[in-house]
Amino acid sequence: MEFSDVENDLAEILLTEEEIHAKIEELARAIEADHQGEKILLVGVLRGAVMVMADLARALKVDIEMDWMAVSSYGAGTQSSGVVRILKDLDSDLTGRRVLIVEDIIDSGLTLSWLRANLESRGAKTVEICALLRKPDALKVEVDVTYIGFDIPNKFVVGYGLDYAEQYRNLRGVAVLAPHVYE
Ligand code: IMP
Ligand code: MG
């Protein structure tokens, strides 16, 4: 759906579909350059990373593999709890693999720092991170991110896979959710 379809629920438009797609092409070129001759295993973090995974995978001009994990660090609210649970694990063996975690957003960084350590412990050759969005002012732990799309303000955003209570994931762009929706 378009911004205009949920206009009253949005406080501010941050990124259009066109801006996101242009950035994903850029990220794809950088990823290709860094992995020449080596097959990449993209690990998408469900459910928020579905859109970035689908677009990034198609932007890459090399053969890749995709696998998925589901973890939970949020309840229905808008604050990270810091407690990470695996809801769905990978099907792939990571031994010797070059793994690229594909994430929608880095907020506190708690989810990704936990996830990277978890995947590294499975014997991957490298575990790197590609995140479309990052909120620098919300970081609670340092996360070494190899590929980052956009740094955004410390506000709750929705769209392009990101939800509030499972809504707005199918919004084409990214927007700040109006506080009246969750207050
Ligand atoms: P972190 O552990 O605080 O970095 O949280 C990461 C996860 O929380 C992301 O993968 C998102 O699923 C979710 N999240 C963080 N910030 C937002 C937001 O502004 N809107 C929607 N989901 C968010
Ligand atoms: Mg996520």
Side-chain angles (χ1 to χ4, degrees), residues 157-175:
V157 297
V158 293
Y160 198 71
L162 291 152
D163 73 308
Y164 170 67
E166 295 306 322
Q167 282 179 270
Y168 312 104
R169 288 195 198 275
N170 60 323
L171 187 59
R172 291 181 183 277
V174 172

Side-chain angles (χ1 to χ4, degrees), residues 20-166:
I20 295 168
H21 286 166
K23 182 63 75 176
I24 285 180
E25 289 294 333
E26 251 178 64
L27 294 173
R29 299 296 83 76
I31 292 166
E32 289 158 6
D34 293 344
H35 295 79
Q36 288 177 26
E38 284 185 294
K39 192 139 179 200
I40 310 166
L41 175 64
L42 299 178
V43 170
V45 185
L46 294 169
R47 288 170 251 192
V50 167
M51 306 300 178
V52 50
M53 180 76 146
D55 284 337
L56 178 66
R58 285 178 295 182
L60 286 165
K61 297 177 193 289
V62 290
D63 197 22
I64 51 95
E65 286 179 33
M66 281 187 248
D67 202 344
W68 301 90
M69 260 182 106
V71 297
S72 126
S73 61
Y74 275 62
T78 61
Q79 290 291 302
S80 187
S81 67
V83 180
V84 181
R85 282 188 305 140
I86 295 183
L87 305 176
K88 182 226 172 284
D89 208 346
L90 297 173
D91 296 317
S92 319
D93 179 2
L94 300 190
T95 313
R97 301 298 308 265
R98 293 207 62 185
V99 175
L100 183 61
I101 301 173
V102 178
E103 250 293 35
D104 47 2
I105 191 166
I106 304 177
D107 186 359
S108 67
L110 292 164
T111 307
L112 272 179
S113 64
W114 180 90
L115 191 58
R116 160 181 270 152
N118 182 284
L119 300 191
E120 277 170 348
S121 75
R122 306 185 194 193
K125 181 177 175 190
T126 58
V127 179
E128 293 172 303
I129 294 168
C130 175
L132 182 68
L133 308 172
R134 177 172 58 189
K135 297 180 190 169
D137 298 336
L139 279 180
K140 289 186 183 146
V141 287
E142 273 304 314
V143 193
D144 180 18
V145 189
T146 312
Y147 309 99
I148 187 78
F150 303 93
D151 280 323
I152 61 167
N154 189 9
K155 294 176 178 169
F156 196 80
V157 297
V158 293
Y160 198 71
L162 291 152
D163 73 308
Y164 170 67
E166 295 306 322

